[in-house]
């Protein structure tokens, strides 16, 4: 396990929507350079967690610290440390790739020259150097996600939150994006919280956190989860630990879990 500084510390986080307890006391830590997979079936509370982490909603209880800054008390400083790619795509498809990115840079108050340099370097890094002038609509699903990734990194966050970033992509694109993020995590020492309902995406993670019905059921090495569940099959372990809320291919089994 990594022993670097904690970039994200979540303690006893609770959030309800009416009578639905979406998060029921979640503890979670991500350290610098650490790739943490948050694995949970649909309805587990993953998106709710990310919405709280990005300050879109306030938790009912509990605390969120980003690089030692309390999100409730020092929101601006805390949020400056966070980059996020949400589950729903958010590019303006009619704008060029560069325009999408410059708009975001403006929001963060980056000067135009620095922004252009960062954008060009980052697009190059993800193999998109020749697409800057193209309309976002002309990009493949995987490349659109990469542009969102470039955007999430523009202000140089210390932790990157990715909410089901590979949904809707074909297996090869999924693997490529996952590898891109992993490389970024290793080379830039950025902490990554990667949420997914797909067990095959957690193999590369330094640590796996299993979330189900708003509760953390496991937090540790995948090897230890397999030992505990007495199986060498991650899919089987996931089904056992979630009590059947997850199917082996990651599809929800109960109607209530559909999103
Ligand atoms: P996940 O991202 O893991 O699929 P969510 O965080 O989207 O899970 O949802 C967790 C639970 O909270 C689910 O039971 C879901 O139906 C419920 N929920 C999520 N968002 C809302 C909302 N805006 N209003 C009411 N219930 C919600
Ligand atoms: Mg979700």
């Amino acid at each position: 396990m990594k022993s670097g500084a904690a970039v994200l510390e979540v303690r006893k986080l609770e959030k309800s929507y009416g009578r639905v307890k979406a998060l029921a006391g979640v503890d979670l830590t991500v350290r610098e350079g650490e790739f943490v997979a948050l694995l949970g079936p649909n309805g587990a509370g993953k998106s709710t967690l990310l919405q709280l982490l990005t300050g879109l909603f306030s938790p009912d209880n509990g605390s969120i610290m980003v690089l030692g800054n309390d999100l409730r008390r020092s929101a601006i400083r805390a949020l400056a440390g966070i980059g996020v790619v949400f589950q729903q795509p958010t590019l303006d498809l009619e704008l060029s790739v560069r325009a999408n990115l410059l708009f975001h840079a403006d929001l963060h108050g980056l000067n135009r020259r620095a922004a252009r340099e960062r954008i060009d370097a980052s697009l190059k890094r993800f193999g998109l150097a020749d697409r800057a002038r193209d309309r976002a609509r002309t990009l493949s699903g995987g490349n659109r996600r990469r542009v969102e990734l470039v955007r999430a990194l523009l202000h140089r966050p210390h932790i990157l939150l990715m909410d089901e970033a590979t949904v809707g992509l074909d297996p090869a694109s999924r693997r490529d994006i996952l590898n891109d993020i992993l490389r970024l995590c290793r080379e830039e020492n950025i902490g990554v919280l990667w949420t997914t309902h797909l067990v095959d995406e957690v193999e590369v993670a330094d640590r796996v956190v299993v979330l189900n019905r708003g509760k953390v059921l496991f937090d540790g090495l995948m090897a230890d989860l397999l030992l505990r569940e007495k199986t060498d099959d991650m899919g089987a372990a996931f089904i056992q630990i979630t009590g059947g809320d997850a199917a082996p291919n990651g599809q929800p089994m109960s109607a209530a879990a559909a999103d």
Side-chain angles (χ1 to χ4, degrees), residues 10 12-27 38-52 57-61 210-217 245 256:
V10 172
K12 300 186 174 155
L13 208 61
E14 293 179 28
K15 178 72 185 175
S16 296
Y17 299 106
R19 285 166 53 202
V20 176
K21 194 135 206 175
L23 296 175
V26 166
D27 289 312
L38 181 70
L39 177 66
N42 285 336
K46 305 182 295 296
S47 293
T48 299
L49 176 62
L50 263 63
Q51 284 157 1
L52 296 181
F57 298 110
S58 298
D60 301 332
N61 276 302
V210 179
L211 187 72
N212 194 39
R213 299 179 189 233
K215 290 199 173 115
V216 173
L217 302 183
D245 285 348

Side-chain angles (χ1 to χ4, degrees), residues 40-48 51 87-88 163-164 195 197 259:
N42 285 336
K46 305 182 295 296
S47 293
T48 299
Q51 284 157 1
Q87 188 167 356
Q88 301 296 336
D163 195 5
E164 308 240 17
T195 90
H197 64 278
D259 83 2

